[in-house]
Amino acid sequence: FGVSNSATFEMTGAATFPTGSGISFGATSTERYKQTTDSLTITARKYGNLELKPADGSNTWSFTTAITTLVSGSMTFGDGVQTGNTFNHASATALINITKNLWILSGATYTYTSAQVTNVGGSWYNLGTFNRGSGAVRFHGINSGTYSIDNGTSRMVNVIIDSSGSTWSPQNNQLTITNTLTVTNGTFNNTSGSADVKVQGSVTCGTTCGTITMTAGTFYHAASAAANFGTSTGAGDWTFNNLNIYDSSAVSGVTVTAPSGGSGSTIVSG
């Protein structure tokens, strides 16, 4: 059983995912879950474009197996019409790898139940709800490009920018990160958006150090506990339009430390 490039395979009603060997989906095909099953497990496969669009509301669907789900194109939660549908990323040992964009449409909720990770190679658009758990969103663009992050009014816990030759920008709504922003490779800037950014944990490099170049908006480092801020390796500078570093904890005395190891400067141009 196979779905060719540009073709669509849709499951409706109480249909279940096909069984047997030799199942394959073309990289530009579309696989659409459109059932009315209240509790449904999304099969871990390599898909083309994956659309999770229950035909009615108030369903709970889950990724539960400890297997990586690969999406060669984009992934969409909800249809923008039905409401109350929740999609649980319920296995901390499973990854969801998306080559292109992730969409959470109005009425849909994408939930981490613990420390899950979603790898996104393109843009992140949230018109619904993202429940962040304690996990991470890693932007890892396989193909170099310019991408946006718009998480609506939801928050993220950990964000990792990790793709040489690619840029990500906060688009329209303030991007709030309740723990750590790690810039390992690539660039975090305002090329495709100018929203403010608020980070409540550390702002740091990974094993290597990418670039931050914010030419618009305000970057708030609102540390709620001891945190690091600045480059820890390499010689690249981080540039901010407006930078506001402050203590957001319930008690005063939070320490923000500039890491050793990097020789880059923090530049405020606004």
Side-chain angles (χ1 to χ4, degrees), residues 44-103:
R45 302 289 301 189
K46 183 177 182 179
Y47 295 94
N49 296 288
L50 179 58
E51 299 180 355
L52 306 178
K53 298 184 173 183
D56 56 8
S58 302
N59 298 289
T60 300
W61 293 1
S62 300
F63 301 87
T64 58
T65 55
I67 303 172
T68 298
T69 297
L70 301 172
V71 181
S72 299
S74 294
M75 185 169 183
T76 304
F77 295 98
D79 63 1
V81 177
Q82 305 297 337
T83 60
N85 288 313
T86 298
F87 305 90
N88 289 330
H89 188 169
S91 173
T93 58
L95 295 174
I96 297 178
N97 291 345
I98 304 164
T99 300
K100 294 185 179 179
N101 304 324
L102 180 145
W103 288 86

Side-chain angles (χ1 to χ4, degrees), residues 17-18 32 52 64 82 87 92 97 117 162 209 229 239 244:
F17 193 85
R32 183 177 299 130
L52 306 178
T64 58
Q82 305 297 337
F87 305 90
N97 291 345
V117 176
D162 189 11
C209 203
F229 183 94
T239 301
N244 188 342

Side-chain angles (χ1 to χ4, degrees), residues 214-226:
M214 309 303 290
T215 57
T218 299
F219 192 105
Y220 299 95
H221 188 212
S224 57

Side-chain angles (χ1 to χ4, degrees), residues 98-112:
I98 304 164
T99 300
K100 294 185 179 179
N101 304 324
L102 180 145
W103 288 86
I104 306 170
L105 297 184
S106 177
T109 299
Y110 178 34
T111 296
Y112 284 6

Side-chain angles (χ1 to χ4, degrees), residues 19-39:
T19 58
S21 61
I23 298 172
S24 64
F25 301 114
T28 62
S29 67
T30 297
E31 287 66 60
R32 183 177 299 130
Y33 286 71
K34 203 174 179 180
Q35 295 97 314
T36 54
T37 307
D38 177 52
S39 297

Side-chain angles (χ1 to χ4, degrees), residues 124-254:
W124 173 291
Y125 300 111
N126 178 14
L127 306 176
T129 302
F130 174 55
N131 289 333
R132 59 197 182 276
S134 57
V137 178
R138 175 175 171 257
F139 294 96
H140 71 109
I142 296 173
N143 301 310
S144 297
T146 300
Y147 306 108
S148 298
I149 305 172
D150 196 330
N151 200 33
T153 58
S154 300
R155 300 179 178 188
M156 295 178 174
V157 174
N158 298 293
V159 171
I160 303 165
I161 307 294
D162 189 11
S163 177
S164 296
S166 293
T167 66
W168 278 270
S169 305
Q171 192 176 43
N172 296 316
N173 294 284
Q174 175 176 291
L175 175 61
T176 299
I177 301 167
T178 60
N179 195 30
T180 301
L181 170 62
T182 304
V183 185
T184 302
N185 290 293
T187 301
F188 188 56
N189 66 12
N190 297 120
T191 299
S192 58
S194 59
D196 294 341
V197 178
K198 181 179 180 181
V199 181
Q200 293 175 283
S202 292
V203 182
T204 187
C205 308
T207 53
T208 58
C209 203
T211 302
I212 298 178
T213 308
M214 309 303 290
T215 57
T218 299
F219 192 105
Y220 299 95
H221 188 212
S224 57
N228 291 330
F229 183 94
T231 63
S232 56
T233 183
D237 297 333
W238 283 358
T239 301
F240 301 89
N241 178 49
N242 296 302
L243 177 61
N244 188 342
I245 299 176
Y246 64 96
D247 178 355
S248 67
S249 67
V251 296
S252 61
V254 167

